[in-house]
């Protein structure tokens, strides 16, 4: 089983994560022919990325070698990919074929649970309103020690 591009050699994968990922490496397996991707561009945290968005500067670019067995791992710049919740992988070209085929994409890294906080509406008092803080009258008592 494989994924093959439609009209040209470009392929784009959008991968959302359920938490935050520190991405350390990527493995790409293709056919041992000209349909294997020749370049890989990584974009982080751009949900719903399209081919139009792929014109922007990627977070990291790799020149790929033919790897039908998945033995090559391409290490990422860990500082740049330390807090990824969505990864887009763009394959702009292959080794000369009309279409690109990919059999496997492996991602290596560490997953942590996402800490996404929703917007909280808070009201703050600039100064206390005494009417809001009524206390019963305290009667002073004196105790004598004899």
């Amino acid at each position: 089983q494989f994924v093959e591009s439609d009209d040209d050699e470009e392929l784009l994968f959008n991968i959302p994560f359920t938490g935050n990922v520190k991405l350390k490496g990527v493995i790409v397996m293709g056919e041992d022919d000209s349909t294997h991707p020749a370049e890989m561009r990584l974009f982080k945290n751009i949900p719903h990325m399209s081919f139009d968005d792929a014109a922007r500067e990627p977070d990291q670019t790799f020149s790929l070698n033919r790897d039908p067995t998945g033995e090559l791992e391409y290490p990422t710049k860990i500082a740049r990919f330390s807090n990824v919740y969505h990864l887009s992988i763009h394959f702009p070209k292959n080794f000369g074929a009309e279409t690109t085929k990919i059999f496997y994409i492996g991602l290596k890294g560490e997953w942590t649970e996402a800490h996404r906080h929703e917007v909280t509406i808070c009201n703050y008092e600039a100064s206390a309103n005494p009417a809001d803080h009524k206390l019963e009258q305290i009667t002073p008592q004196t105790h004598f020690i004899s």
Side-chain angles (χ1 to χ4, degrees), residues 15-22 44-47 82-87 111-120:
I15 306 165
F17 297 116
T18 57
N20 292 323
V21 173
K22 181 189 286 186
K44 70 171 190 172
N45 302 337
I46 307 172
S82 63
N83 192 22
V84 181
Y85 59 86
H86 189 278
L87 181 68
W111 180 87
T112 56
E113 189 173 347
H115 297 290
R116 296 191 180 111
H117 298 286
E118 299 295 326
V119 175
T120 305

Side-chain angles (χ1 to χ4, degrees), residues 19 28 37-38 48 59 62 82-83 86 95 101 106 110 114 125 131 137:
V28 178
H48 314 293
D59 291 296
F62 298 93
S82 63
N83 192 22
H86 189 278
F95 287 98
K101 286 184 184 178
E110 297 173 10
E125 290 185 41
Q137 188 71 322

Side-chain angles (χ1 to χ4, degrees), residues 3 9 16 23 31 51 72 74 79 85-86 93 107 119 122:
V3 174
E9 57 197 9
L23 185 65
E31 196 76 62
F51 284 105
L72 297 175
Y74 300 94
Y85 59 86
H86 189 278
K93 60 184 178 180
L107 304 174
V119 175
C122 298

Side-chain angles (χ1 to χ4, degrees), residues 13 37 40 44 51 53 62 79 91 98 121 133-134 145:
F13 292 90
M40 174 175 65
K44 70 171 190 172
F51 284 105
D53 298 323
F62 298 93
F91 297 98
E98 290 288 321
I121 298 173
H133 305 282
K134 289 187 180 179
I145 301 175

Side-chain angles (χ1 to χ4, degrees), residues 13 19 21-22 29 36 47 57 77 93 100 105 109 118 130:
F13 292 90
V21 173
K22 181 189 286 186
M29 285 174 49
H36 193 289
E57 186 68 26
K77 297 175 183 173
K93 60 184 178 180
T100 300
I105 297 175
E118 299 295 326

